[in-house]
């Protein structure tokens, strides 16, 4: 089954404690992205990657890091989480431009 | 600056009637547009898309219309069903990037 898998689904952490949210896709897609969803703001792109070792900033990259060492994986790293990073996070992948993006189930992160 | 706008946060429609969800954009470089549906606790799922070379695309009960001169697109759902109750996001992208820009979403409620 074609899917994008994120882990964990839920995470509560404390300010400053580094964390990683994993994302994996099994569709051999070139493009992968991370989004955050906040009330009234919709989905905002954090980072995206158009291929292995190629990443670029989206609209809200501050406080986040990503890496794309393999085609299937695109982890999101918060080196020093802060409460304003409390949000619902989605990973997505696309095969090419002008095709639909497939989304993971989401990770609800709470930073206290 | 919000490049993709959904000015109606919510819409309520009776079952069997038409639902019309609207979306406006400001960036004339956008050439591919998508609609996503999102249920609570799930990732967005792709619904329908349209390329800028077309002005209409239809898939079953769902039709998307694109008016490039007005920078406006709309999603028509006919007939509306209670299972269509969800949040709908429109999104746009420009050729050569993986930047998918989302609107803030419209919550559709279809009542019996």
């Amino acid at each position: 089954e074609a899917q994008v898998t994120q882990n964990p689904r839920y995470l509560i952490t404390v300010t400053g404690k580094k964390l990683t949210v994993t994302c994996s896709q099994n569709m051999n897609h070139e493009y992968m992205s991370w989004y955050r969803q906040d009330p009234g703001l919709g989905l905002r792109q954090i980072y995206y990657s158009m291929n292995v070792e190629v990443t670029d900033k989206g609209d809200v990259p501050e406080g986040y890091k990503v890496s794309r060492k393999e085609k299937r994986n695109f982890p999101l790293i918060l080196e020093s989480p802060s409460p304003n990073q409390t949000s619902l996070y989605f990973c997505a992948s696309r095969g090419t431009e002008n095709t639909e993006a497939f989304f993971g189930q989401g990770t609800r992160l709470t930073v206290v | 600056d919000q490049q993709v706008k959904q000015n109606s946060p919510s819409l309520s429609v009776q079952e069997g009637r038409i639902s019309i969800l609207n979306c406006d954009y400001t960036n004339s470089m956008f050439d591919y547009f998508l609609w996503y549906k999102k249920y609570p606790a799930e990732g967005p799922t792709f619904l329908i898309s349209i390329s800028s070379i077309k002005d209409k695309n239809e898939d079953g009960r769902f039709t998307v219309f694109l008016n490039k001169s007005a920078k406006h697109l709309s999603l028509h759902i006919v007939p509306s069903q209670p299972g269509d109750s969800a949040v709908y996001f429109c999104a746009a992208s420009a050729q050569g990037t993986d930047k998918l820009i989302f609107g803030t979403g419209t919550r559709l409620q279809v009542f019996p």
Side-chain angles (χ1 to χ4, degrees), chain A residues 9-10 31-33 35 37 40-43 45 48-50 57-59 88 90 94 97-105, chain B residues 2-3 31-32 34 36 38 41-46 49 51 87 89 93-105:
Chain A
R9 291 290 310 276
Y10 302 92
Y31 299 92
M32 297 186 76
S33 300
Y35 296 84
Q37 184 187 3
L41 297 175
L43 287 151
Q45 196 172 46
Y48 63 99
S49 169
M50 295 171 76
K57 295 177 181 179
D59 296 315
L88 181 57
F90 291 100
R94 294 171 92 179
E97 296 172 22
N98 291 5
T99 59
E100 68 268 28
F102 292 82
F103 283 80
Q105 293 282 74
Chain B
Q2 192 79 17
Q3 296 186 67
D31 63 353
Y32 188 66
L34 310 91
Y36 281 83
K38 187 180 181 305
E42 294 184 11
T45 54
F46 170 73
S49 64
S51 164
V87 177
F89 291 98
S93 69
Q95 193 172 21
T97 80
D98 188 43
K99 288 201 71 172
L100 255 186
I101 308 296
F102 282 81
T104 51

Side-chain angles (χ1 to χ4, degrees), chain B residues 67-107:
Chain B
N67 182 334
K68 288 187 289 293
S69 60
K71 294 191 176 67
H72 177 83
L73 65 154
S74 61
L75 174 68
H76 293 211
I77 306 174
V78 183
S80 302
Q81 299 173 353
D84 295 329
S85 297
V87 177
Y88 289 78
F89 291 98
C90 68
S93 69
Q95 193 172 21
T97 80
D98 188 43
K99 288 201 71 172
L100 255 186
I101 308 296
F102 282 81
T104 51
T106 296
R107 182 177 301 278

Side-chain angles (χ1 to χ4, degrees), chain B residues 3-5 23-28 30 33 66-73 92:
Chain B
Q3 296 186 67
V4 178
K5 300 177 186 178
C23 181
D24 297 295
Y25 62 97
T26 58
N27 189 340
S28 57
F30 289 150
F33 304 88
L66 176 62
N67 182 334
K68 288 187 289 293
S69 60
K71 294 191 176 67
H72 177 83
L73 65 154

